[in-house]
Structure formats: structure tokens, C-alpha cells
Amino acid sequence: MAQVENQNAGFLIYHTYFFEQLFIDLLIVHPALGRKGVAKALIEYVENNCTSKKIFSSTNKSNESMQHVFDALHYKQSGYIDNLDEGDPEIVFYKEIRS
């Protein structure tokens, strides 16, 4: 969980059930605190504490804000999943973590 001025700013949920690699499953930022680096800080925290060799996550093609966060953190596109949300494919991203 991230806080800004004692206010809950966002949270991130991850697991390691994705082929034994860390997968960021959900990232939520308080709407009033969007575009203030909260998502980036949460992901960087996970990266700095990751024990797997890669981190994966995904977002809808329509979610350009999250795609910009992944780009800023040097994640690479790894593929698409169609038919989850009709007409809005899921883009899978990954990043190799140095050991």
C-alpha cells in the first residue's frame, strides 16, 4: 500500500503462480492522486523486492496511462490475449530483473 500525506494513495497485488514468475495482478491508484508517480513507486517497490527472474503484468489496450507507466519502467510487450474484454485486448508486459 502507498500513502501520500497520510492518505491511502494506492495498492498493488501480486502472486507467483504465473509459471513461477511474479505477476502483478492488480494495481489501483486513488483517482485524485493519478499521475503523481504512485503506480510507478508501487511497481518499483515490487521490483526491488522481487525474488523471481522476471516480472509480468498486463493491461487493456485502451488503458494508455498504464502502458505509459510500463514504458517508463522499461517493461516490454510480451503478447496479447484476445476475448477477455470484448474489443479491448489485454497486452502482456514483462521485465527481466537482474539477480
Side-chain angles (χ1 to χ4, degrees), residues 12-25:
L12 182 150
I13 297 173
Y14 67 89
H15 60 78
T16 56
Y17 306 126
F18 187 73
F19 301 97
E20 298 181 11
Q21 302 296 322
L22 192 144
F23 190 93
I24 297 170
D25 199 40

Side-chain angles (χ1 to χ4, degrees), residues 4-71:
V4 174
E5 298 176 1
N6 295 323
Q7 178 183 358
N8 291 338
F11 66 93
L12 182 150
I13 297 173
Y14 67 89
H15 60 78
T16 56
Y17 306 126
F18 187 73
F19 301 97
E20 298 181 11
Q21 302 296 322
L22 192 144
F23 190 93
I24 297 170
D25 199 40
L26 181 64
L27 193 153
I28 302 289
V29 175
H30 190 287
L33 298 172
R35 299 186 186 270
K36 296 195 184 305
V38 175
K40 185 177 176 185
L42 286 165
I43 293 172
E44 287 175 332
Y45 177 83
V46 170
E47 289 177 1
N48 292 328
N49 293 283
C50 180
T51 59
S52 65
K53 294 183 180 182
K54 297 176 186 173
I55 295 178
F56 287 85
S57 191
S58 68
T59 191
N60 288 89
K61 186 175 181 182
S62 64
N63 190 344
E64 293 180 8
S65 295
M66 194 63 216
Q67 291 175 53
H68 290 299
V69 172
F70 286 133
D71 288 341

Side-chain angles (χ1 to χ4, degrees), residues 58-64 67 77 79-93:
S58 68
T59 191
N60 288 89
K61 186 175 181 182
S62 64
N63 190 344
E64 293 180 8
Q67 291 175 53
Q77 289 188 16
Y80 291 88
I81 302 171
D82 290 320
N83 304 311
L84 291 175
D85 292 323
E86 190 66 34
D88 195 7
E90 193 79 6
I91 304 171
V92 179
F93 290 87

